[in-house]
Amino acid sequence: MAGCRGRVLVVDEDPIWRLALDRQLELLGWDVVTLNTGEEAIRVVERGFIVDVLLTELRLPDLDGRQVAWAISRLLPPVRLAFMTVGPAREPLEPAAAPLLLKPFTTQALDNAVERAVAWDAPPLW
């Protein structure tokens, strides 16, 4: 994609949210890959798939979004992180500075969160 801002890996169990996020992020200039579970996301990165930003739901059916972020950060240290969820996070985020989007959110809020994730010089999680 010409002028692509980078690649975002979206992990959310809801197919409607995945479709909406795919469309919004593509309109914002990102290459997007969407997956249903944390395990799928980890397997894809284990096979060498490179992403710039991981945007994951905190409440996934198989793994907590924090677990997904930790695993992918170990496999792909330069990845930047952003989280999303319905309602407040039940536990503190790690890393605490990672953007958190509360559903539903606007395209502008999505753009701001992904940009903040990219700009943030994240220390390794391990």
Side-chain angles (χ1 to χ4, degrees):
M1 176 179 201
C4 180
R5 295 166 73 182
R7 182 179 287 160
V8 178
L9 175 58
V10 173
V11 185
D12 195 304
E13 75 284 359
D14 186 322
I16 295 170
W17 268 103
R18 285 195 311 272
L19 179 62
L21 289 166
D22 180 70
R23 288 182 177 169
Q24 288 174 326
L25 287 164
E26 282 186 355
L27 286 172
L28 292 168
W30 295 94
D31 181 25
V32 185
V33 173
T34 64
L35 296 172
N36 185 46
T37 69
E39 289 291 339
E40 288 175 323
I42 293 166
R43 280 195 307 271
V44 164
V45 173
E46 283 175 336
R47 289 189 296 239
F49 191 75
I50 304 296
V51 298
D52 300 298
V53 178
L54 169 66
L55 173 60
T56 184
E57 166 64 52
L58 286 173
R59 297 174 185 135
L60 295 168
D62 59 343
L63 296 172
D64 181 276
R66 292 169 196 82
Q67 294 171 306
V68 177
W70 185 84
I72 289 177
S73 293
R74 287 188 51 90
L75 295 165
L76 190 63
V79 72
R80 299 299 187 235
L81 305 171
F83 298 101
M84 59 187 163
T85 194
V86 175
R90 294 181 199 159
E91 298 174 23
L93 291 179
E94 187 61 40
L100 173 63
L101 288 160
L102 297 179
K103 294 177 178 177
F105 47 81
T106 64
T107 301
Q108 185 61 52
L110 174 62
D111 190 37
N112 291 344
V114 174
E115 280 301 314
R116 280 193 348 259
V118 169
W120 178 53
D121 191 19
L125 294 179
W126 59 96

